[in-house]
Amino acid sequence: MFIQKRYIRSLLSLPLAGLLFMLLGTQQITAAPVDSLLPERSEQEISQKWTQWMSGKDQTATFTQNPSTKAPYVAGVVSDSTLEQALGAANFYRYLSGLDGDLVLDAALNRQAQHGAVVVSTGELTHFPARPADMAKDFFDLGAKSTSSSNLYASYGAQGNLAVKSVEAYMDDSDASNIAALGHRRWILSPQLKKVGFGIASRDNKNYASHFSTMQVMDTSRSGKLNYNYNLYPNKGAFPIEAFNVSQAWSAQLNPDVFVKPSNSEVQVEIVRSSDQKTWVLGAKTPVSSDPAKAFFNVNTDGYGYNYAVIFRPDNLKSLKAGDTFNVRITGLKKKDGSKAEISYQTRFFSVSNPSQEPVTDPQNPGTDPQDPGADPQNPDTGNEDYLDNHLMQFEYTADRTLKVRGTLTAYAGKTFSFQIHGPSPDEKHIRTETVKLDANGRFSLTVPNLGVSDLTIYLQVDPSFMYLIPTASNSDVTYYFE
């Protein structure tokens, strides 16, 4: 087969905006996909963290000193084991979203939160409770300081660890009074959060909830500044069905240092279920409904968790099961540099009780199953392999809609690239995202079958700040030269 070589040295060294202009001519410049810059967790990693942090989540809460929610009031002290279980739950959910699961308990915040739990138990659930006439002012002041800077939770039942259950409820946050902002979830997923504290108290309130928990979440003591564009819940890649259900809202938390404040009228979300290609398009025209079975959409730019949020939920999802896969595309975003942006990702649900055996890619043979270390090597290197010369990358798109990419870029040896594969212009509907790791010699190959469209628009991201645009026509075989 004749291979056409396009030496586009000067073209591919241009910034993305210039590249789009030269390749697309008079066509409208499209929004560039933006990566989160946060890691995608594997099923095995998530299952390990579930065992580490969540296996004891249903153990009953205990105290080293019992609180008193009637005069004379006593804050009480929650046991270390109960606090550690709650901390583990918070770290688990942060880890799922791609953040570090490294929150720590702070003794002063635990004491403050415990006072807050006692104070909030004396009346209705509010961040600004009234002081009971028989409560000392200094006790109330510390408790009120907690309630005004904490996530608050109330329950009719006290089974298990109430602080853990509160974290699970905060991450759900999809009831009628909270779904529009997801404030509790966003505080837990705040990139600035490092120190937390928990409190638990119970009181017989007859016709009202009797069990209360506080979680201090407005800490900003984390050192350094996280380099990220956004975080997701549920996250891209593998995600456990034990941590999500059909009535919960999906959300993307946007870094306000990167994105312009998003507009509810401009942002749109498209969700495609892979199994049957059922598609949901959500935006400002989505009817507002508090029904957990109905679709939901909102953009919230309040300061919860120090980020903006795009919040959405598809309707008519009867259940979620292991293997369910959804492709999500969020458009209508703008970055602070004035460029248009979009977020595209895929979420695949699985069960931590039965994780699949994910193949670990052999960097010498990407796309193949790993070799059994006890078996003879498969297809040993004889020195006769048909490798491309350095700086060359070949894109072949066959008539049966299979994309084949291979190349040699020694300057990027050992690095990981992402190929964001879209349909043809002008819609450029996102199809899927694939990643490859270059071997020690800078070589890689990638095969993606069953893409189902005539032409492709491929964004090749070589690092967080730079990507190439490669239009690929059906039944084509083109080799490019990369500097």
Side-chain angles (χ1 to χ4, degrees), residues 279-295:
T279 301
W280 295 263
V281 178
L282 307 174
K285 294 182 179 180
T286 301
V288 176
S289 174
S290 60
D291 186 339
K294 298 293 187 181

Side-chain angles (χ1 to χ4, degrees), residues 256-321:
D257 292 335
V258 175
F259 290 93
V260 172
K261 184 180 292 187
S263 167
N264 201 75
S265 62
E266 295 179 0
V267 175
Q268 182 172 285
V269 178
E270 179 186 80
I271 310 168
V272 180
R273 184 166 56 196
S274 296
S275 61
D276 58 2
Q277 294 300 297
K278 179 174 176 57
T279 301
W280 295 263
V281 178
L282 307 174
K285 294 182 179 180
T286 301
V288 176
S289 174
S290 60
D291 186 339
K294 298 293 187 181
F296 184 87
F297 174 84
N298 192 43
V299 172
N300 184 277
T301 57
D302 296 336
Y304 301 107
Y306 311 107
N307 54 50
Y308 306 135
V310 178
I311 303 163
F312 52 98
R313 178 178 61 200
D315 59 355
N316 296 320
L317 280 180
K318 304 301 182 184
S319 64
L320 280 177
K321 62 182 183 299

